[in-house]
Every structure is written in C-alpha cells, then in structure tokens.
Amino acid sequence: MSADAERFVRMYRQMVAIRFFEERVNDLYTRALMPGLAHLYIGEEAIAVGICEALRTDDYITSTHRGHGHCLAKGASPHLMFAELLGKEAGYCKGKGGSMHIADPATGNLGANAIVGGGAGIATGAAFAAKFLEQGRVAVCFFGEGALGQGVLYESMNLAQLWTLPVIYACENNLYNEYTHCSETTAGDMLARPRAFGIDSEAVDGQDVRAVNTAAVRLVERARRGEGPGFLLLDTYRYRGHHVGDIAREYYRSKQEEQEWVTGRDPIALHRAWLESKGLMGRDAFERIDVEVAAEMDAAVEFAMKAPYPDPSRVDEDVYA
Amino acid sequence: MPDMSFGDAIRMALAEEMRRDPRVVLLGEDVAEAGTTFKVLKGLVDEFGCTRVIDTPISEPGFTGLAVGAAMAGMRPVVDIMFGDFLALIMDQVVNQAAKIHYMSGGKWKVPMVVRATMGASRRSAAQHSQSLHAWPSHIPGLKVAMPSTPYDAKGLLKAAIRDDNPVIIFEDKISYTKVKGPVPEDDYVVPLGVADIKRQGRDITLVATSSMVQVALGAAAMLEEIGIDAEIVDPRTTWPLDEKTLIESARKTSRAMVIDEGYFRYGVTGEIASVIAEGAFYDLDGPVRRLGARHVPIPFSPVLEDVTVPTERDVFDLARTMCNK
C-alpha cells in the first residue's frame, strides 16, 4: 500500500475511533456512570483527523469544550481519556480537569479549554515560542464558530499576522452557538474576518477528510516555512446536542435538518465510499477496523471504570508548580 | 552600595534576568524605544533588541494570552500592563487560563509568566488610571502576587517572579518609580516570594503596610515617635503567598495592629490580613485590628477630592494614636 493509501486508511480508522469513543461517552452519561456532562464531537470527526494528520507529534494544538476528537486525533490514549472523564487518578489530569480540560504535553496538546475562544491566545503564544526558539513547530487553534464572537480571537490573529507566527486557526462551523443558529449571532462574512488581517484563509468542506487534510497540509507547510498563519473555515455539523443532556432539540433545529446531515454528509460514510470506490479497502477491512476499534474502546472504558479515584488529600496538589 | 530609584531597580532586575536567561522576553505597549510611558524600561531595547523587548498593539488580552501560551511552550515572558486598571481587560487570560492551567492539567503544564502592572493614586489621573487592584489576583488560587515597596525589594521580588514556575503578578507603585530611592546591591540576589520584611522595629503597635503605604507608614511612625509611640512596620511584600507567621508574631509582640493598603477598603487586602492577625493573635491583642484603605469611591480627578481617597500619614498617625490611647 502506498504512503498516501496508508494515510487514507489511517484517517478512516481514526474517525471511527473518535465516533466509537464518543458513543461510549454518551452511554456512560445515560447510565449515570460519568460525573458532569460532555460535548460530543460526533459528526465533526473529519476536521480533527484531517488536520492532525498534517501535524507532527511535537506540533501544538489547543482544543475546546468539544475536544475529545482533537485529543484523540493528536494521539491521546483512550484509556487515559476515559479515566479522566470519570474523574480517576489515572486520567490525563489526575481527575482534576475532566472532559473539558484534557491536556497532554507528550502529544503537544496544550489543553482543551472551557472558555469559548480561550485557546486563541495560548495557541498563538505557543507559535510565538516555536518561532522564537526556532523549533519548526506549528500550533493549531481549534475553535467553533461561536468563538467568532470573542474579541481575543481577533487580537490573537492580528498578532499572528503582524509577527508571522506559525499558527493555524481552525474554525469548526457546526452552525450552532450552543442552542442558537450562527446566522443569529454572526454579522457579515466569516472568512472575511481573517482575510481582513491578511491571513491566508480557505473555506473547506469539513465533512470531507481528504479535503480537510489537503488544506491543512498546505497551511501547515506554509507556516513551517515561516510564511505565517493560516485560517480554515470548516463547514460541519454537530449530530448530537450541545452536550449529552441536550436531547429535545426541536426548538432550535429540525429533525429533518439533522437527518439530512447524518444520511447525506456523514464524514465516515463519505470516506468509506471513496475508499471502496478506489479499491483501497473492502467490506472485510472495514469490519475488521470496527471490531478492533470497538474492542480498544471497550477495554479503555473497562480500564477507566476499574481505576481508583484520587485520594481526597490530593485536592491541594498542583495548584502551584 | 549606591542608592537607586525604584524604577531603576526594576530595570536592573529585568536586564540581569534577560542576560541570565535568553528565554525572558518583554511584551507590552511602548516598551521598546519609548521604554514605557513611565520610562522604566528605557534602554533595554538597546541591549536586547526588539526581538526580546517587543512593542505590542494596544491589545492587552491578546498579548497577555499570547504570553500564557509562550510560557507553556518554553518561554519566560514578562508582560507590561501600563496601568493596573487594565487588569480588568486581561482577567480571563490571567484568572481562567494562566492561574488554572497547571491544576487543570494535573500538574503537567506550567505557566512561568510575569505580569507587571502599576498601581497607585495621587497622580491626578482619575478613575481609570489610578486604581490599586492587587486584591483581585490575590483572590485566585494559582496566582502569586508581589507588591514591592523599596528598590531593594523591587529588584529581588521581580527576579524571583521571573524565575518562578507560576504566573506572578507584580504591582509597582507609579509614584515610587522616581520618588522612592534606596540601596540596591549589584549582585544577583532574589527576595523569595512569601517572606515579609520588618521595615521598622517597634514595641507599641504593628503597622502592616503594603507597597506605597510603607512610605506612608514610615512617615507616620516618625510622627508617632515624637509622642512616644514606637511603631513596628511589617511589609508582607507578597499578598500571596502571605507570610502569616511574621504578621501574627509582630501583632502578638506589640498587642496592637493596623493594616494599611491602597486598594479599596471593602473586601480587600486589609480585610484578609486583619482576619489573619485576629485569628492568630486574638488573645494577645489589646483591641480590634483596625484598617485603612482606599475610600469606596472611584478615584476622583480633582486634587482636593483625590487627596482624601487614599490613606495619608496623618490618617495613620491619628488612628494609631487612638489605638494607643495617647
């Protein structure tokens, strides 16, 4: 299999992994086994996978409250993620962060952030450090279209372009700022915003993992060459609610709209059909991936369920370095 | 040892740390050629260049947020916030990001950054350029807050802050930049964060004073001496970590304590320190711990109004005299 073909298969598998992970998160929530809430990435998998496929392990990302997909795509272990989601000592953050704060220096994950737009300054600053220290690293700032309402995003983009920083702003437009359609919150043209700063910007079908990857590779290579920041506007859709508890959604969007995306624009189904049409994978291979990934995720859940909670005496640790 | 101004001591600290560690960079509005509006950083760009002394847009949340990420990724950024009032603009970056990242990540990421902000009234600059907001960050777990009152402390605390692996906010009194002078050793010393300093030994009353109020307390102590009251002045130097032991020991020794701080009186630093002393020294006190702070008003412009908003030597003298029944 060629390197390209391997990459296409790897991206398929990674999307399946994110979906299976999230389905288990939902299951843990509905069975009241998971404390708090979680924001599922189902439907948006092609973005995290297509972009992270273009990155090195030591490149940086910042993630969001809807961050499980970014973390997994960047290389996080499902075992340690589930342990964190359940508040266990073995989790990525020793149970102190939870679903919205998975962070992992080993994979360049600067952390998921529960402030909308909260990663903008951090990603831009990591890019500043990468440039200053001449490390050749780039940083990707994932955020939803809701963050287009936050001033610090524009301040960060201004600095990034002024100082030619190696940062890619990845705007996942899933159409809804929580429970409000983006047309009710966003004046003007989304892509005109980064373009006003002179940032190399591109709109991409966020359900097409290969298109996402192609656009990401171009902007990442450009940034790595020292040519400055990029911006991707990625059209996508959040299949589930704002969070796992957001079940009755008809008051803000129709079931018909949801169904159109699920049946017509599912990133995994689209990529699968393409892989089949190219003869890169057949039914057996898809089934094998499903079985393997399901087993891996089930093992991760089991590990997390059995893992011990942190001792309450550790509550005061890690406040200061 | 030569006397040096407070502002010059800060510049000396920054220059020494920038020579020692190439990862230290300065970010802020007009920090390079202008050397800030207070000229405190003047000349640093000549030695370190504009890649390390970096003029930013007027964009406090942007460049503070950038400093958070840069610190996580291996730098030692020092951010200049021209007026402490602009702390309101950077609170999300400081409070929700910098302060919490170490804890939220289970200790995996560190944010070794410094925010230098000014404080202090009496420059006729009105309500948005005169506040002393150090109580705000002192309230937040994950932050450290330093408030130097002398050139010696300014150099030593700033050097300690830059070397600290946590976000540290250091408040510099604007009036002190040129007005306060004192001995500053040329050598490489630090003042550890969390260690109070007794600025004047005394027997009769403890005056706990921060930053600008240390000079006020020293002036009041000279007046009190003339009427036979021997005041001890304790400067906590950092509001967090707070050297509770030294504060309590001094109050137990003198049996009277007053806390003087330029921040707003309500829900502020004086309330916290007074409660620490009350809890730790209650049975040795002759009376309640008393407090002086900024009046609960926006700092006014007119000199006759502004001059009654922050504690003066006379205010300290009068209250101490009452407390000592003299």
Side-chain angles (χ1 to χ4, degrees), chain A residues 79-101:
Chain A
H79 284 61
L80 305 189
M81 283 184 64
F82 274 121
E84 187 59 35
L85 265 61
L86 297 184
K88 301 298 183 69
E89 175 73 24
Y92 267 112
C93 314
K94 303 182 195 165
K96 285 170 173 161
S99 163
M100 295 197 285
H101 301 296

Side-chain angles (χ1 to χ4, degrees), chain A residues 119-189:
Chain A
I122 294 170
T124 309
F128 174 90
K131 181 179 180 183
F132 187 93
L133 300 170
E134 299 176 358
Q135 294 167 322
R137 295 176 176 178
V138 304
V140 173
C141 178
F142 288 104
F143 57 95
E145 89 291 344
L148 294 173
Q150 297 283 29
V152 73
L153 175 66
Y154 301 99
E155 298 191 24
S156 300
M157 289 199 290
N158 184 50
L159 292 169
Q161 180 69 7
L162 268 179
W163 297 343
T164 327
L165 302 180
V167 54
I168 316 297
Y169 300 97
C171 178
E172 305 176 319
N173 179 13
N174 67 19
L175 300 178
Y176 292 89
N177 297 191
E178 207 172 43
Y179 315 115
T180 302
H181 194 271
C182 62
S183 62
E184 296 174 47
T185 61
T186 318
D189 177 358

Side-chain angles (χ1 to χ4, degrees), chain A residues 184-246:
Chain A
E184 296 174 47
T185 61
T186 318
D189 177 358
M190 289 185 187
L191 212 52
R193 289 159 157 79
R195 283 183 175 152
F197 296 104
I199 293 178
D200 190 328
S201 306
E202 185 175 342
V204 184
D205 177 359
Q207 306 306 86
D208 180 346
V209 72
R210 299 178 310 284
V212 173
N213 182 246
T214 302
V217 166
R218 183 182 77 79
L219 288 179
V220 167
E221 285 180 354
R222 193 178 163 276
R224 224 187 282 290
R225 286 196 303 268
E227 293 171 27
F231 187 105
L232 289 173
L233 178 62
L234 304 131
D235 293 324
T236 187
Y237 199 76
R238 187 185 81 200
Y239 286 11
R240 305 294 176 92
H242 166 59
H243 57 65
V244 284
D246 173 24

Side-chain angles (χ1 to χ4, degrees), chain A residues 5-6 16 26 34 43 60 62 82 96 144 159 171 215 257 280:
Chain A
E6 276 178 23
V16 171
N26 195 54
M34 184 184 76
Y60 294 110
T62 59
F82 274 121
K96 285 170 173 161
L159 292 169
C171 178
E257 178 186 289
L280 292 171

Side-chain angles (χ1 to χ4, degrees), chain B residues 205 207 224 229 258 315-324:
Chain B
I205 183 168
L207 306 178
L224 290 164
I229 297 174
M258 182 198 309
D315 296 332
V316 176
F317 173 83
D318 288 344
L319 182 56
R321 186 178 199 174
T322 305
M323 291 170 72
C324 295

Side-chain angles (χ1 to χ4, degrees), chain B residues 55-71:
Chain B
D55 277 338
T56 65
I58 300 172
S59 189
E60 288 88 358
F63 65 76
T64 305
L66 181 142
V68 175

